[in-house]
Amino acid sequence: MQQVNERFYILYIKIATIVAALLMVLCIAGQAIPGMRGVATRWDLSYTTFGIALVQVLYGVFLYKRQAVKIGYWAATLLGVMLLSVNIVNLVHTTGMFHSWYLIAWGITLLLSGLFGSFTIIGGSFLVTIYFILVSTDALGKASYSPHNIIALSSLYLIGVISYFASKPFYVDRESNQIAQLTGQLRNNQQRAEVLIQSVSDGIIMTDTKGKISLLNPAAAVLTGWSVQEAMDLDVQLVAKFTYEDGKDLPSSEYPFTKALADKTAKESTLRLTSRDGKSNPIVSLAISPILTGKGDEIVGFVAVLRDVSSAREEEHRRADFISTASHEMRTPVAAIEGYLALALNDKVARIDNKARDYLTKAHESTQHLGTLFQDLLTSAKAEDGRLVNHPLAVDMGEFTQKVADGLQFSAEKKGLLLDFVIGGMNGASGENSAGTKVIRPLYFAYVDPDRMREVITNLFDNAIKYTPAGKITVGLTGNEGVVQIFVRDTGGGIPAEDISHLFQKFYRVDNTATRTIGGTGLGLFICRKIVELYNGRIWVESEVGKGSTFYINLPRISAQEATKLKADEAQAAHAGLT
């Protein structure tokens, strides 16, 4: 059975009821006003018309909704339209048949009947044809057809066809309609949205642009400790109080709703939520998105989704503690084995034949790889739970990056690769641009831990060495007023597009011939990402198979004045520590 969305049926019955009420008013006016009686006779505004219209109005106002619940909107609306059709057909018959102006009303009714499916169109057209044949033939059986009648009847058929094809895109199958009814007999999109919001297990808070709460679902009420009624129209900062995960106070400038409003962008963070009674302080994953008007990009409010991740965080901590403990404990015997193997390979300590030396060399390399794996596991565990040792300083990234690149020169030459260092479009060693003109090298300052950043750059460089059989590796530095950008570019085999989005996940390695023959833990890039994120930075890669890869690191840039002040504070703190 072909049906459309129920809102179309509701609209149709409203229009039909209004038309019937208008007919009732005209009938009363035609009978009560002397000057209108001639018009009432010509348009057949009789008691019969009034009676049918009255039934139509009573049905639409008092019975329609009840019938819709019992037999469905399709059948209930069709019943109401049939009452309207009886009235219109009666008026057509009494006011001149195919010469009647009421044919326009019948055409409109037929045009809207496509909402009830093809069989309604066919049935209606069939009844009109039978009616035309019976009425247009006199008692002696003599037909009284005219071109005008044939044209009018053909037009009605055409309207029926147009109606069907115009309504066809809105049809939904019966099964879909039944599913919609089984999921709560929801009447409109607003009700659906309300049920979904009230049913989801995640907390949802909606505010206006001033931070006043306009919606709080039951899950958010449980998390915050405020009832839905109490929280309405309150400032969100009063209801949803956040601290950092470790319990430290969150500055007002870092409050997530305030930041989202100031930047007019979506924000994601993980914070600790302090409940109203102070007994429950869950760690929540918070995602805030602006609410835009349908007419443009004007922000009318914000919606936040809060998910309790306390249990997940505890599991992560337990897992990280296990990895950290196991890695630390296993490093000791592995280091001892590596040391004894190194002694066995030392000609001054022991004499062994070439075959035994080959075995011991392979064992020593495997032990070194195992030691690296344990170290990476330990570092990744610390990175996940925020235990990485981190001492940020104001660093001149140009000088720092060049020193790191100089230290990596030997590794590149050992494999027969060229190493190039560029800063701001210049050769870092000579301070010359591409034209050979001497220029002043720009200063790029960032507030980072130099040891950690050296670890990141070295890791990216080692990967480039591993996967570049021949060619050149470029370490570069550039930036703008707000960002310092470091990049490591190679001329290796490149990374497939489907692997790029997973590259910085833990234990992920590209599965191809090159990676199968080259060892690795799958933790290096994960650790790099965690370190860069410590400084509110970003790391990503751009690559094309067969053309190499470029890894980029963006760090917030600080001005020379800020760097000078930070260095002075560092010197003062160091002096105070010595005294």
Side-chain angles (χ1 to χ4, degrees):
M1 184 184 294
Q2 295 167 317
Q3 300 181 23
V4 297
N5 190 290
E6 61 192 31
R7 70 175 185 272
F8 291 107
Y9 295 130
I10 295 172
L11 178 62
Y12 198 165
I13 206 69
K14 286 181 179 179
I15 294 173
T17 304
I18 292 171
V19 170
L22 181 60
L23 277 174
M24 288 176 60
V25 172
L26 292 174
C27 288
I28 293 172
Q31 299 299 323
I33 302 174
M36 288 283 292
R37 287 177 183 173
V39 176
T41 301
R42 191 180 320 119
W43 290 90
D44 191 31
L45 302 176
S46 60
Y47 291 112
T48 303
T49 302
F50 178 85
I52 299 173
L54 177 61
V55 174
Q56 170 74 41
V57 171
L58 291 175
Y59 177 80
V61 174
F62 298 106
L63 298 176
Y64 173 71
K65 286 188 177 179
R66 235 178 258 174
Q67 292 300 313
V69 173
K70 291 181 180 179
I71 62 177
Y73 280 86
W74 179 89
T77 307
L78 183 60
L79 184 58
V81 172
M82 286 174 64
L83 290 171
L84 177 66
S85 300
V86 168
N87 215 347
I88 294 175
V89 170
N90 175 64
L91 290 170
V92 169
H93 176 67
T94 57
T95 56
M97 281 298 293
F98 286 101
H99 297 277
S100 172
W101 284 99
Y102 282 115
L103 278 176
I104 296 175
W106 177 254
I108 294 173
T109 304
L110 192 61
L111 183 63
L112 295 175
S113 63
L115 297 176
F116 301 96
S118 58
F119 84 94
T120 310
I121 297 284
I122 296 171
S125 301
F126 176 75
L127 291 175
V128 169
T129 303
I130 296 299
Y131 179 76
F132 170 71
I133 293 172
L134 293 176
V135 175
S136 299
T137 305
D138 58 23
L140 298 175
K142 182 181 178 181
S144 58
Y145 306 134
S146 70
H148 182 275
N149 296 351
I150 300 300
I151 292 172
L153 186 62
S154 301
S155 299
L156 291 177
Y157 293 155
L158 180 61
I159 289 173
V161 173
I162 293 172
S163 173
Y164 172 69
F165 284 102
S167 303
K168 195 173 181 180
F170 300 101
Y171 293 154
V172 295
D173 56 52
R174 188 177 182 181
E175 182 181 355
S176 299
N177 217 38
Q178 289 175 340
I179 291 172
Q181 292 177 355
L182 290 173
T183 54
Q185 295 291 339
L186 302 179
R187 297 292 177 259
N188 51 49
N189 289 335
Q190 184 177 356
Q191 288 181 341
R192 290 188 180 93
E194 288 176 358
V195 170
L196 287 173
I197 289 172
Q198 299 302 320
S199 302
V200 295
S201 58
D202 293 340
I204 297 177
I205 300 176
M206 189 180 298
T207 72
D208 58 20
T209 54
K210 295 181 180 179
K212 302 294 183 183
I213 294 177
S214 57
L215 184 147
L216 186 87
N217 76 336
V222 172
L223 287 172
T224 60
W226 289 76
S227 69
V228 175
Q229 293 76 16
E230 290 177 320
M232 296 301 290
D233 296 324
L234 291 181
D235 192 298
V236 67
Q237 295 193 44
L238 179 63
V239 176
K241 297 180 179 180
F242 296 104
T243 63
Y244 289 113
E245 287 190 54
D246 57 7
K248 293 181 180 178
D249 291 337
L250 187 72
S252 57
S253 59
E254 294 296 312
Y255 190 75
F257 282 91
T258 304
K259 290 183 68 177
L261 179 60
D263 299 340
K264 301 186 184 303
T265 57
K267 297 291 181 182
E268 294 185 6
S269 54
T270 303
L271 300 167
R272 188 176 292 277
L273 176 65
T274 304
S275 65
R276 187 180 185 182
D277 57 11
K279 296 179 181 178
S280 174
N281 300 312
I283 298 174
V284 296
S285 171
L286 179 66
I288 303 177
S289 301
I291 303 172
L292 304 177
T293 59
K295 298 179 180 179
D297 56 357
E298 180 185 356
I299 296 176
V300 296
F302 291 88
V303 60
V305 178
L306 298 86
R307 173 170 294 180
D308 188 346
V309 295
S310 301
S311 57
R313 274 289 192 268
E314 290 176 4
E315 291 178 5
E316 288 177 5
H317 285 315
R318 285 194 292 269
R319 185 167 58 250
D321 287 341
F322 170 75
I323 293 174
S324 178
T325 303
S327 301
H328 182 76
E329 292 298 325
M330 286 187 286
R331 283 175 61 200
T332 302
V334 168
I337 294 171
E338 183 182 350
Y340 285 124
L341 288 172
L343 288 173
L345 290 169
N346 190 333
D347 292 335
K348 296 180 180 179
V349 176
R351 293 182 180 179
I352 54 177
D353 58 33
N354 291 333
K355 192 171 184 179
R357 180 177 294 277
D358 184 49
Y359 292 148
L360 289 174
T361 299
K362 290 179 179 178
H364 187 249
E365 290 174 352
S366 297
T367 307
Q368 286 180 318
H369 176 69
L370 191 59
T372 302
L373 173 61
F374 289 147
Q375 180 60 48
D376 286 347
L377 284 171
L378 184 61
T379 304
S380 67
K382 290 180 178 179
E384 280 190 297
D385 58 13
R387 291 186 293 116
L388 271 180
V389 178
N390 178 43
H391 301 294
L393 306 170
V395 178
D396 176 2
M397 296 305 295
E399 181 181 357
F400 167 78
T401 309
Q402 184 170 346
K403 287 181 178 179
V404 173
D406 290 343
L408 299 171
Q409 182 78 37
F410 176 74
S411 298
E413 292 176 349
K414 186 178 179 181
K415 195 175 178 181
L417 300 173
L418 296 175
L419 174 61
D420 194 15
F421 174 69
V422 294
I423 177 170
M426 302 180 299
N427 183 296
S430 65
E432 297 178 352
N433 60 16
S434 57
T437 306
K438 294 285 186 178
V439 294
I440 298 175
R441 190 174 69 180
L443 295 175
Y444 296 104
F445 288 101
Y447 190 61
V448 296
D449 185 330
D451 292 333
R452 289 299 176 195
M453 286 310 302
R454 183 179 292 104
E455 183 179 347
V456 171
I457 298 172
T458 302
N459 192 300
L460 297 180
F461 182 83
D462 288 344
N463 283 345
I465 290 283
K466 287 180 183 178
Y467 301 109
T468 305
K472 181 175 73 171
I473 297 174
T474 303
V475 178
L477 179 72
T478 185
N480 56 31
E481 293 182 357
V483 173
V484 178
Q485 185 176 92
I486 304 168
F487 62 87
V488 178
R489 180 179 296 122
D490 63 58
T491 56
I495 303 167
E498 61 269 17
D499 291 306
I500 288 178
S501 60
H502 307 285
L503 207 58
F504 296 93
Q505 296 174 0
K506 189 191 292 187
F507 297 116
Y508 188 85
R509 298 193 73 209
V510 178
D511 186 15
N512 57 30
T513 305
T515 57
R516 294 190 195 103
T517 57
I518 298 174
T521 63
L523 289 170
L525 292 179
F526 170 78
I527 295 170
C528 288
R529 176 172 67 86
K530 286 294 185 179
I531 292 174
V532 171
E533 289 175 351
L534 283 175
Y535 312 115
N536 297 317
R538 175 176 172 240
I539 182 170
W540 76 100
V541 62
E542 294 178 1
S543 182
E544 186 175 348
V545 175
K547 295 186 178 181
S549 307
T550 303
F551 284 82
Y552 293 94
I553 302 169
N554 276 8
L555 298 169
R557 182 179 180 179
I558 61 176
S559 65
Q561 291 79 6
E562 290 176 302
T564 301
K565 184 178 182 304
L566 286 170
K567 287 181 178 180
D569 293 341
E570 292 160 10
Q572 186 176 356
H575 179 72
L578 291 174
T579 57

